[in-house]
Amino acid sequence: MQPARFTFPYGFTGMIPSSEIGEQASAAMASPEVIGCKGDLTKILEALKPLEPKPAGPMRLSASRCLPILHGRYPVYPSPDGRKAFTSHPIDGLWVGSVDRAGANYTFPMHVFTSLWTPIVPFEWLPDSSAVLGVAQDKASGGFALGGLQPYLFTETGGQTPLPVLTHPNGPLDDIFWIGGTGLAFATFGTLLQA
């Protein structure tokens, strides 16, 4: 039984069993739809084969969407509405963009702060998908920090809006873990200055 593709609101792709749509439609869905990808389609489809469920069952991969992300092999975080995504790279910066190749996207050139204790990145989508909460840090030409982390809102059009500076008597903002996309966060202050 081969499933067919259908679309949820906001452009998510799903699958339904072919028994519900008929064998003719099922035959037309033999390969996943490849959206926005460049290059040899045969090689792309071959690369997608490991993503098919094993053992084979009533569901299958129905679509793959290629994004214009500059740094590969880093996690991609989709927005709550499914129309945008972000990824970050420790050296190349933060990329925020539309999942549609024709949509806006922007790379914020910065050294992205990553935690020493966890692979969690210091960025998170707002619930309305309008921007990414995150932090940036002024650095000297050699890469040394010139101060604590500064919270920002980042958008796919290149907007970088500073948020109020977070301060504490212990010292500058050293680490932040966003909780729920509403601005609530667990933060550490002055921990990197202690010997």
Side-chain angles (χ1 to χ4, degrees):
M1 173 168 48
Q2 293 291 322
R5 184 176 66 90
F6 67 99
T7 303
F8 291 100
Y10 310 119
F12 290 105
T13 302
M15 298 171 277
I16 57 174
S18 61
S19 61
E20 296 180 22
I21 56 134
E23 292 302 317
Q24 193 173 28
S26 178
M29 306 303 275
S31 295
E33 181 180 10
V34 178
I35 304 164
C37 300
K38 297 178 181 177
D40 184 356
L41 185 60
T42 306
K43 287 182 181 178
I44 293 169
L45 290 172
E46 193 64 32
L48 293 174
K49 282 185 180 179
L51 300 176
E52 289 287 346
K54 290 179 181 68
M59 301 300 218
R60 68 170 187 80
L61 179 67
S62 61
S64 176
R65 184 178 295 270
C66 296
L67 301 176
I69 297 172
L70 300 177
H71 15 275
R73 294 194 173 88
Y74 285 88
V76 175
Y77 300 88
S79 63
D81 69 4
R83 296 174 189 241
K84 302 173 190 171
F86 78 79
T87 188
S88 63
H89 183 275
I91 304 297
D92 296 331
L94 170 69
W95 178 91
V96 182
S98 171
V99 296
D100 177 5
R101 276 192 172 270
N105 70 78
Y106 190 82
T107 299
F108 296 89
M110 65 173 129
H111 291 283
V112 174
F113 176 81
T114 56
S115 172
L116 300 174
W117 300 279
T118 177
I120 298 172
V121 296
F123 303 104
E124 184 169 271
W125 282 105
L126 289 176
D128 67 358
S129 303
S130 62
V132 174
L133 282 165
V135 290
Q137 189 171 44
D138 289 332
K139 303 224 179 184
S141 60
F144 293 100
L146 297 175
L149 296 171
Q150 166 65 49
Y152 285 93
L153 288 177
F154 301 96
T155 67
E156 78 275 8
T157 57
Q160 184 173 346
T161 306
L163 298 172
V165 175
L166 300 175
T167 60
H168 191 275
N170 286 350
L173 177 63
D174 291 330
D175 209 346
I176 194 159
F177 303 93
W178 299 104
I179 303 167
T182 60
L184 180 64
F186 175 80
T188 60
F189 296 87
T191 58
L192 299 180
L193 300 176
Q194 298 178 11

